[in-house]
Amino acid sequence: MSEFTNVTIVREANVYFNGGVVSRTVIFPDGTKKTLGFMQPGEYTFNTGAPEIMEILSGELDLKLPGSELWDRIGGGESFDVPANSAFTMRVHALTDYCCSFVG
Amino acid sequence: MSEFTNVTIVREANVYFNGGVVSRTVIFPDGTKKTLGFMQPGEYTFNTGAPEIMEILSGELDLKLPGSELWDRIGGGESFDVPANSAFTMRVHALTDYCCSFVG
C-alpha cells in the first residue's frame, strides 16, 4: 500500500465507457495531475492530450500502442508510456487498478 | 465539482463485490477518513464498524437501513446515516458516485 500526501482530490469521479473505466483526479502541490482509476473487463480506446505514464497497480490487460499492430500483455507492477496527442487501446481481462500520470 | 485539499490518498483501490463497488481512501489532516467510491448497478450489503454518512454525489439506488423493512429511493445530492456495527443494503439502479464519511 502506498499513499500520496498533501494533495488535492476532486470528489466527483471521471466516468468513461458507461462506468467501465472510472477515475479520480489528484492534484499535486506543483500543479501536476494524476488520475487513480479502475477498469472493468472490456476493450477501451483512449485519446491522449499530454503524454501519459500508465502504471498498472493490479490487474491484467493487453495493450496496443499508437503505431503498433502488436498487443503486449501488461500486468500489475508494470507501466507504459503513451505519447501526446495519440490513441491507445486496452483489452482489459481482469479488474485493473491503475495510476495515470500526465507529464510534459 | 468540489475538492478535498491537503489530504492523503491511498493509491490502491478498495474493491468489493468483484468490482461492483470500488473506492479510494482519503485521510484528512485531523486523521479522519472518507472514501470516494463508485458503484455499478447491483445489490450490495455492507457491514459498518464506525457510523457512516453516505453522500450520493450522483446516481440512483434503493436503500434499506438496519431495522427497516422499507426501501427508500436515494438520488444524487442526497445523504443518509448508517449506525455503527450494523448492516445496510443498497439496490443500485444507475452508476452511482458517492462519498462515505466515517464518523465518531
Side-chain angles (χ1 to χ4, degrees):
Chain A
M1 203 180 77
S2 56
E3 300 175 341
F4 294 132
T5 57
N6 193 29
V7 295
T8 293
I9 184 164
V10 178
R11 290 205 316 166
E12 290 78 6
N14 312 306
V15 182
Y16 307 98
F17 301 105
N18 196 33
V21 181
V22 177
S23 74
R24 308 265 172 190
T25 302
V26 180
I27 306 162
F28 289 75
D30 66 0
T32 58
K33 289 184 184 181
K34 298 182 194 291
T35 54
L36 290 169
F38 198 85
M39 298 189 284
Q40 308 285 328
E43 179 169 327
Y44 311 110
T45 296
F46 279 100
N47 298 303
T48 66
E52 298 179 9
I53 301 169
M54 278 284 286
E55 179 183 357
I56 305 303
L57 303 175
S58 63
E60 188 175 83
L61 58 91
D62 288 325
L63 166 71
K64 192 155 71 79
L65 285 170
S68 174
E69 292 305 312
L70 300 176
W71 292 86
D72 284 326
R73 177 62 53 97
I74 307 284
E78 295 187 271
S79 296
F80 56 91
D81 296 343
V82 187
N85 303 310
S86 61
F88 65 106
T89 300
M90 293 176 288
R91 287 181 182 155
V92 176
H93 302 296
L95 297 173
T96 294
D97 193 18
Y98 72 85
C99 177
C100 180
S101 300
F102 300 92
V103 294
Chain B
M1 203 182 76
S2 56
E3 299 175 341
F4 294 132
T5 58
N6 193 28
V7 295
T8 293
I9 183 163
V10 179
R11 289 207 315 165
E12 290 78 8
N14 312 305
V15 183
Y16 307 97
F17 301 104
N18 195 33
V21 182
V22 177
S23 74
R24 309 264 172 191
T25 301
V26 180
I27 306 162
F28 288 75
D30 64 1
T32 58
K33 289 184 184 182
K34 298 182 193 290
T35 55
L36 290 169
F38 198 85
M39 298 190 283
Q40 308 285 328
E43 178 168 327
Y44 311 110
T45 296
F46 280 99
N47 298 303
T48 66
E52 299 179 9
I53 302 170
M54 279 283 286
E55 179 183 358
I56 305 304
L57 303 175
S58 64
E60 188 175 84
L61 59 91
D62 287 326
L63 167 70
K64 191 154 71 79
L65 285 171
S68 173
E69 292 304 313
L70 300 176
W71 293 85
D72 284 325
R73 177 61 53 99
I74 307 284
E78 295 187 270
S79 295
F80 57 90
D81 296 343
V82 187
N85 304 311
S86 62
F88 65 105
T89 299
M90 294 176 288
R91 286 181 182 156
V92 176
H93 302 296
L95 297 173
T96 294
D97 193 18
Y98 71 85
C99 177
C100 180
S101 301
F102 300 91
V103 294

